[in-house]
Amino acid sequence: MKIRKGMIIIVSAPSGAGKTSIADAVIKNDKNIVYSISTTTRAPRKGERNGREYFFVDDKTFKTMIKQKKFAEWAQVHGHYYGTSKKSLEGTINKGKDILLDIDVQGALKIKKQYKSAVMIFIMTPSLKILKERLIKRNKDSMETIKIRMANAKKELSYMDKYDYLVLNDKLETSIKNVESVICAERLSVKKIKNNIKF
Ligand code: 5GP
């Protein structure tokens, strides 16, 4: 039997919907899934390490990388550049490993256009009211930033119907299981494996 090519799993969510906690758990529980480390021009936050959460570069370096076609996709999000390395993405799936991309809606659509079998999962809180409450409760942002994040969330929600799956993050444990179930089902999809399996 031929090894199957790895699967591209895209996870997008408005800020505060709990995407990072879900993605971290899914990766921790499944050794066949690799996290795609993006490159960004935003400054590292407290506790972030270069090469772990992101590769942090300046604007000039990022623009050079665009010219050199190093990105499978890139986008400007909240005023900063973010991009997915083409080499790392293709290297991972060619080894038969799945790769999880935590990227915004613009990037998700760009990836889907090039890699038709990518699975797109949208994560959202059960309501916008709950999203706002979570943003206030986590105490990371000013009211001004929360307003911007809420306006962005409404914009991002308008892309939801382009996604394959919606996970409403009410209880974290359930949402982790739901994302894992989607991945499990996609791995078994005959449509997806038919080109990779020879008996
Ligand atoms: P943060 O700066 O809070 O880590 O991420 C901000 C937003 O940028 C999130 O929505 C995240 O999913 C998105 N993002 C992170 N990496 C990439 C990337 O490589 N490409 C795109 N298009 N978006 C990204």
Side-chain angles (χ1 to χ4, degrees), residues 2 8-12 36 60 67-68 74 79 93 106 121 145 160 163 168 183 185:
K2 229 166 73 171
I8 299 174
I9 307 152
I10 302 170
V11 177
S12 307
S36 167
K60 192 167 169 255
K67 278 198 196 118
Q68 293 171 335
W74 63 269
I93 58 173
Q106 313 166 67
I121 308 173
T145 309
M160 204 178 73
Y163 281 69
L168 289 180
I183 295 170

Side-chain angles (χ1 to χ4, degrees), residues 4-198:
R4 77 173 178 95
K5 225 179 179 186
M7 179 165 64
I8 299 174
I9 307 152
I10 302 170
V11 177
S12 307
S15 169
K19 174 185 57 178
T20 309
S21 312
I22 297 172
D24 285 353
V26 168
I27 284 176
K28 201 170 140 228
N29 294 343
D30 189 328
K31 298 291 168 251
N32 200 55
I33 308 176
V34 173
Y35 182 72
S36 167
I37 304 167
S38 296
T39 300
T40 184
T41 58
R42 84 147 163 76
R45 295 194 187 113
K46 219 174 141 209
E48 286 182 335
R49 214 193 301 146
N50 190 36
R52 190 177 60 189
E53 284 81 8
Y54 285 104
F55 294 107
F56 297 98
V57 299
D58 58 19
D59 269 45
K60 192 167 169 255
T61 308
F62 197 96
K63 285 179 183 156
T64 307
M65 291 173 81
I66 295 175
K67 278 198 196 118
Q68 293 171 335
K69 304 211 181 320
K70 296 251 163 122
F71 298 120
E73 66 73 34
W74 63 269
Q76 231 177 342
V77 190
H78 312 314
H80 301 288
Y81 289 106
Y82 293 83
T84 304
S85 156
K86 195 179 179 106
K87 193 172 165 194
S88 153
L89 175 76
E90 297 201 342
T92 304
I93 58 173
N94 287 338
K95 269 189 271 173
K97 288 239 174 207
D98 299 333
I99 186 161
L100 189 142
L101 274 52
D102 167 347
I103 60 177
D104 86 315
V105 291
Q106 313 166 67
L109 295 178
K110 289 182 200 161
I111 291 289
K112 184 74 180 182
K113 220 172 168 180
Q114 302 166 68
Y115 305 92
K116 300 276 186 267
S117 59
V119 186
M120 297 169 78
I121 308 173
F122 196 90
I123 295 170
M124 177 55 190
T125 46
S127 70
L128 279 166
K129 185 168 167 269
I130 295 175
L131 182 67
K132 191 169 179 186
E133 284 165 9
R134 285 199 197 157
L135 286 172
I136 294 171
K137 217 165 127 196
R138 75 179 187 180
N139 214 7
K140 253 183 18 188
D141 308 299
S142 64
M143 261 338 264
E144 200 46 49
T145 309
I146 289 177
K147 261 196 192 154
I148 297 170
R149 292 199 188 280
M150 287 305 293
N152 281 336
K154 286 177 195 162
K155 257 189 248 159
E156 285 156 340
L157 275 175
S158 68
Y159 287 85
M160 204 178 73
D161 60 351
K162 309 264 186 247
Y163 281 69
D164 302 306
Y165 298 94
L166 170 66
V167 171
L168 289 180
N169 185 19
D170 184 12
K171 290 208 166 53
L172 181 63
E173 285 314 308
T174 311
S175 302
I176 295 166
K177 279 209 182 79
N178 286 340
V179 171
E180 287 173 341
S181 306
V182 165
I183 295 170
C184 177
E186 287 288 329
R187 281 180 179 151
L188 301 175
S189 156
V190 172
K191 246 194 223 152
K192 291 206 168 141
I193 56 182
K194 73 171 182 215
N195 296 325
N196 288 312
I197 298 227
K198 291 243 172 347

